[in-house]
Amino acid sequence: MTVEKINLTHMSPINGNSTFLMVSSRHGGDQMTTGDKQAATPRRRVLAAAALAPVLAGAGPASARAMPDGALVKPLTTTASDWAAVAKALGRSGNLLRGTTYHTPFPRDDLRVVVEGNIVITPELALGAHVAFVRYADGSTMCMGDVAVTERELQRVIDTWQANGIAQTALHKHLPAHRPDIWWVHVHGHGHDELALAHGLRAGFERTGIPPATPSGPPSPVDLDIAGIETALGAEGSSDGVVYKAVFARSETICDGHLVLPSGLGATSAFIFQPLGNGRAALSGDCVMLAEEVQNVLGALRRGRIDLVELHNHHLTESPRLFFTHFWAVGDAVELAKALRPAVDATNVVPTSGV
């Protein structure tokens, strides 16, 4: 009796398309003749295509790349009330973004940070800390965030998160010469116990000087030419009464391992303007880029006399691979926005709202 085995071996994607190599072996006493091979090959190809069609139908490049490790998992739509237990575990409430992302800010209102010797920055400009939670169709929850800590706090905070199963995916600075020294730690967690993730994050926060949450009133107008900034950037932003912020999200679907990230989570360019009077502003933020976009963006920022602070990654297992550059500038706010526009145009992003 002859038993034929067909192996489907995944090959590296070429031009964004996944291909499969079909290897057949024949076991038993019979040997295949040349005619047998020619007759059997078309049939094998049909069978293989039929088996793969339901899996690959509608799958883009990112889906195809993830196939060997399992199907991609999409985020679930939730409501703010669904996150009440997480809010309690974190010790403060957050807000729901785009129906999927539960976002909680932890601003460093306790710090007085001076940049370049004479510019006192607000927490809203560059001293924010935040975490975001997302639930997935497989019953798991992912959390990620970006936390500003002082150099004295840094090691003990990391040790605490490590002990509580919270990973660090990046460690860097967002600002040029500043005092006291501040570091930004990107954190990540994933599992089926979202309260354990929340408690683990909070354990780290409690090793910092982050103050308790305080209620905020309605935002006041920001003393900047908002219309001029928005015209220059080609997008509308938002103001919290302290700074003006414009956010752009990657147009591609971004995955973290097998998890599809909601649009605007962990893959945004943010431009934040703190008014300094007389139409001037301090500018801080970062651009999100693919590898092939990096040099065009860096060149555009420098031609606009915007200082580069860091070039780094924020994730460990994202696809496509993302890079971020943090920048800094002081000057006329509208002129700064004009200088940013070529960097925006050099990346595949679209305007968004929120974080």
Side-chain angles (χ1 to χ4, degrees), residues 35 47 88 115 147 170 173 177 205 222 230 263 348:
L47 291 174
K88 183 177 181 180
V115 178
V147 185
K173 295 194 173 186
F205 291 139
V222 173
E230 292 181 341
S263 177
N348 186 24

Side-chain angles (χ1 to χ4, degrees), residues 255-272:
C255 300
D256 189 331
H258 66 290
L259 303 176
V260 177
L261 296 183
S263 177
L265 177 63
T268 60
S269 295
F271 310 120
I272 310 174

Side-chain angles (χ1 to χ4, degrees), residues 47 202 237 290 311:
L47 291 174
R202 183 172 180 175
L290 299 183
L311 173 63

Side-chain angles (χ1 to χ4, degrees), residues 13-283:
I14 302 175
N15 297 326
N17 298 315
S18 289
T19 59
F20 288 80
L21 174 65
M22 188 163 55
V23 181
S24 64
S25 59
R26 195 174 179 91
H27 303 281
D30 298 335
Q31 297 296 320
M32 290 184 72
T33 67
T34 302
D36 291 335
K37 293 177 182 178
Q38 292 173 344
T41 298
R43 180 172 179 271
R44 293 189 197 115
R45 287 176 178 165
V46 170
L47 291 174
L52 289 170
V55 178
L56 294 179
S63 299
R65 283 196 296 272
M67 286 293 297
D69 297 323
L72 296 177
V73 183
K74 294 183 178 181
L76 296 176
T77 299
T78 59
T79 65
S81 61
D82 292 330
W83 298 99
V86 167
K88 183 177 181 180
L90 289 174
R92 65 181 67 199
S93 60
N95 59 306
L96 190 69
L97 302 177
R98 296 173 289 277
T100 57
T101 306
Y102 184 69
H103 174 264
T104 306
F106 290 80
R108 295 302 308 252
D109 296 322
D110 58 310
L111 299 176
R112 184 182 186 274
V113 177
V114 180
V115 178
E116 296 181 339
N118 61 357
I119 299 176
V120 179
I121 66 170
T122 64
E124 293 81 3
L125 177 66
L127 296 177
H130 71 95
V131 293
F133 282 74
V134 180
R135 288 179 184 162
Y136 283 89
D138 63 356
S140 68
T141 297
M142 179 183 67
C143 66
M144 64 169 59
D146 183 12
V147 185
V149 300
T150 67
E151 192 157 299
R152 289 186 176 183
E153 297 168 344
L154 179 61
Q155 304 307 323
R156 67 172 181 255
V157 171
I158 289 176
D159 289 346
T160 302
W161 278 327
Q162 288 277 327
N164 284 273
I166 302 298
Q168 292 75 59
T169 61
L171 173 62
H172 50 244
K173 295 194 173 186
H174 290 186
L175 297 169
H178 61 280
R179 289 290 181 271
D181 283 320
I182 306 296
W183 292 86
W184 281 259
V185 185
H186 285 257
V187 292
H188 183 278
H190 177 242
H192 286 78
D193 188 345
E194 61 188 30
L195 294 185
L197 295 175
H199 284 298
L201 286 168
R202 183 172 180 175
F205 291 139
E206 289 178 346
R207 302 302 303 275
T208 74
I210 295 176
T214 56
S216 58
S220 304
V222 173
D223 184 21
L224 290 171
D225 182 359
I226 300 301
I229 294 173
E230 292 181 341
T231 298
L233 288 175
E236 294 183 0
S238 61
S239 171
D240 60 4
V242 181
V243 298
Y244 170 82
K245 183 176 185 178
V247 179
F248 296 78
R250 294 296 309 187
S251 296
E252 306 92 344
T253 296
I254 308 296
C255 300
D256 189 331
H258 66 290
L259 303 176
V260 177
L261 296 183
S263 177
L265 177 63
T268 60
S269 295
F271 310 120
I272 310 174
F273 298 78
Q274 176 184 316
L276 299 178
N278 299 318
R280 290 168 55 80
L283 168 69

